[in-house]
Amino acid sequence: MLYKQEKIGAIVKLKSRLFNFVLDVLSSDNLLRKDELFDTCEKNIIRIRKKMLQFRVVYRKKNRAEFLVLHHLLNEIVKEAKAYEQYDILSEALIFKKYLLMLRKEYSEIEDITQQIALYSNAHQMMLIANDYYFNLITDQEIISKLTPLEK
């Protein structure tokens, strides 16, 4: 036995740390690039989400990060999120972009960005509703049971 009975909390903590380490490894760039579990589109979506996380980390250290670096990173995220229709990330990136520009007192783009935020937030909500309808349709056994073999 590695620990005595009174150190059971240490074992729980150790298991938790190991589990988190395994999750970090599973989401590493090297593994995602090699793994055939995801198609190219899914890999790019994961990459965009990781890039947004990286932006948040750099943003929190903003006294060390240049505005141009943050702005460039947001522009990349916006472009890629539009391409892969990741409207939740797109809205989040646009909100950060809007606030960064406001801090720099660059108001020329603010109204356009505000309209884009509304558009893509709405698109995200509509996509969620459409997904709900789709899953309700394919999982509704009553409807499926009434279909003829040709309709299935």
Side-chain angles (χ1 to χ4, degrees), residues 58-76:
V58 172
Y59 178 77
R60 292 290 174 216
K61 298 182 179 288
K62 64 184 162 203
N63 50 347
R64 297 182 198 143
E66 291 283 329
F67 168 80
L68 294 175
V69 172
L70 295 171
H71 195 259
H72 174 75
L73 189 53
L74 283 174
N75 285 336
E76 282 184 6

Side-chain angles (χ1 to χ4, degrees), residues 35-129:
D35 199 345
E36 297 300 320
L37 184 62
F38 300 105
D39 64 23
T40 304
C41 184
E42 289 174 314
K43 287 178 184 178
N44 284 317
I45 290 168
I46 292 167
R47 191 178 45 74
I48 295 166
R49 290 186 179 281
K50 286 179 78 172
K51 194 176 281 191
M52 189 67 218
L53 174 63
Q54 292 163 344
F55 166 82
R56 285 178 162 274
V57 170
V58 172
Y59 178 77
R60 292 290 174 216
K61 298 182 179 288
K62 64 184 162 203
N63 50 347
R64 297 182 198 143
E66 291 283 329
F67 168 80
L68 294 175
V69 172
L70 295 171
H71 195 259
H72 174 75
L73 189 53
L74 283 174
N75 285 336
E76 282 184 6
I77 294 166
V78 166
K79 180 181 175 186
E80 294 172 18
K82 279 182 186 178
Y84 290 95
E85 298 178 350
Q86 295 303 298
Y87 301 123
D88 56 333
I89 302 169
L90 180 53
S91 297
E92 181 182 0
L94 287 169
I95 289 168
F96 272 107
K97 186 175 180 179
K98 176 182 170 180
Y99 295 150
L100 279 178
L101 291 173
M102 290 173 89
L103 289 172
R104 299 263 309 185
K105 299 184 186 316
E106 295 181 18
Y107 299 111
S108 60
E109 294 180 57
I110 300 297
E111 185 58 36
D112 180 50
I113 291 173
T114 301
Q115 290 175 358
Q116 287 183 54
I117 291 168
L119 172 71
Y120 293 119
S121 294
N122 190 38
H124 178 65
Q125 289 302 313
M126 294 301 108
M127 186 181 69
L128 292 175
I129 290 169

